[in-house]
Amino acid sequence: MARKNKPSSHRGERFNNIEEEPYRVGHGHPPKQTQFKPGQSGNPKGRRKKTPSFSEVTEQVLNENVELRVGDRVLRMSNRKALVQLAIRQALAGKPRLSTVLPAITRYENESLRGRADASPSLTADDEAILSDFLARHRASEKPTDGD
């Protein structure tokens, strides 16, 4: 039985003959004109951005800086600090309605701290007792006004 001479299917020899063979279009070999050019992305817009959760947006807004006038000075501080300062000022001025925001912030921070293993709550039991006593006294003395 005589062997026919077949072209060698050895990988090295096939790559040496690339210039001799015409480019074959097929599976895994798209036409040259439709292939991505060097440096061109196959997905130019990329993946869609993730929609941030409510807690992520809240954290971001509380950490933003704001300018606050204190007397004749203008101070830059985070919204978180400015909110606490404003709540305390209004509570001392006899308008404790805004001070109800403080327990909400405390609750939010305690919930976010529960997710972290290494973090501990920032308020002790004594602090919470003082805060609840303060809020109870100011709620009792709060009188509805026509302007508010």
Side-chain angles (χ1 to χ4, degrees):
M1 209 155 72
R3 288 177 119 195
K4 292 186 181 180
N5 287 338
K6 290 185 179 178
S8 175
S9 62
H10 188 264
R11 183 166 228 155
E13 290 179 26
R14 189 170 66 190
F15 285 116
N16 289 337
N17 296 332
I18 284 181
E19 288 91 25
E20 299 169 10
E21 295 179 15
Y23 181 76
R24 285 202 255 152
V25 175
H27 181 71
H29 297 280
K32 289 283 188 189
Q33 64 270 18
T34 62
Q35 291 180 4
F36 293 122
K37 308 298 180 266
Q40 176 185 358
S41 171
N43 188 8
K45 290 184 181 179
R47 181 186 287 195
R48 283 175 281 152
K49 301 282 186 239
K50 180 183 126 188
T51 304
S53 69
F54 183 75
S55 61
E56 290 171 340
V57 171
T58 304
E59 187 68 28
Q60 188 177 23
V61 170
L62 285 174
N63 288 331
E64 287 177 357
N65 285 336
V66 65
E67 290 183 354
L68 186 68
R69 181 172 294 283
V70 179
D72 18 333
R73 295 184 307 172
V74 176
L75 303 175
R76 286 188 60 81
M77 62 184 72
S78 68
N79 278 334
R80 174 177 284 136
K81 187 174 180 181
L83 183 64
V84 172
Q85 281 197 353
L86 184 61
I88 291 172
R89 280 188 195 166
Q90 287 197 354
L92 292 174
K95 299 177 185 177
R97 287 195 183 122
L98 188 57
S99 66
T100 58
V101 172
L102 290 176
I105 291 174
T106 304
R107 203 174 320 117
Y108 165 76
E109 296 224 345
N110 285 338
E111 287 174 6
S112 66
L113 289 175
R114 277 188 214 129
R116 297 186 225 152
D118 61 331
S120 62
S122 59
L123 290 180
T124 63
D126 292 338
D127 293 337
E128 288 186 18
I130 292 169
L131 184 60
S132 63
D133 180 52
F134 171 80
L135 291 174
R137 282 186 286 129
H138 283 283
R139 282 190 194 122
S141 67
E142 183 179 57
K143 296 176 185 172
T145 60
D146 296 334
D148 288 343

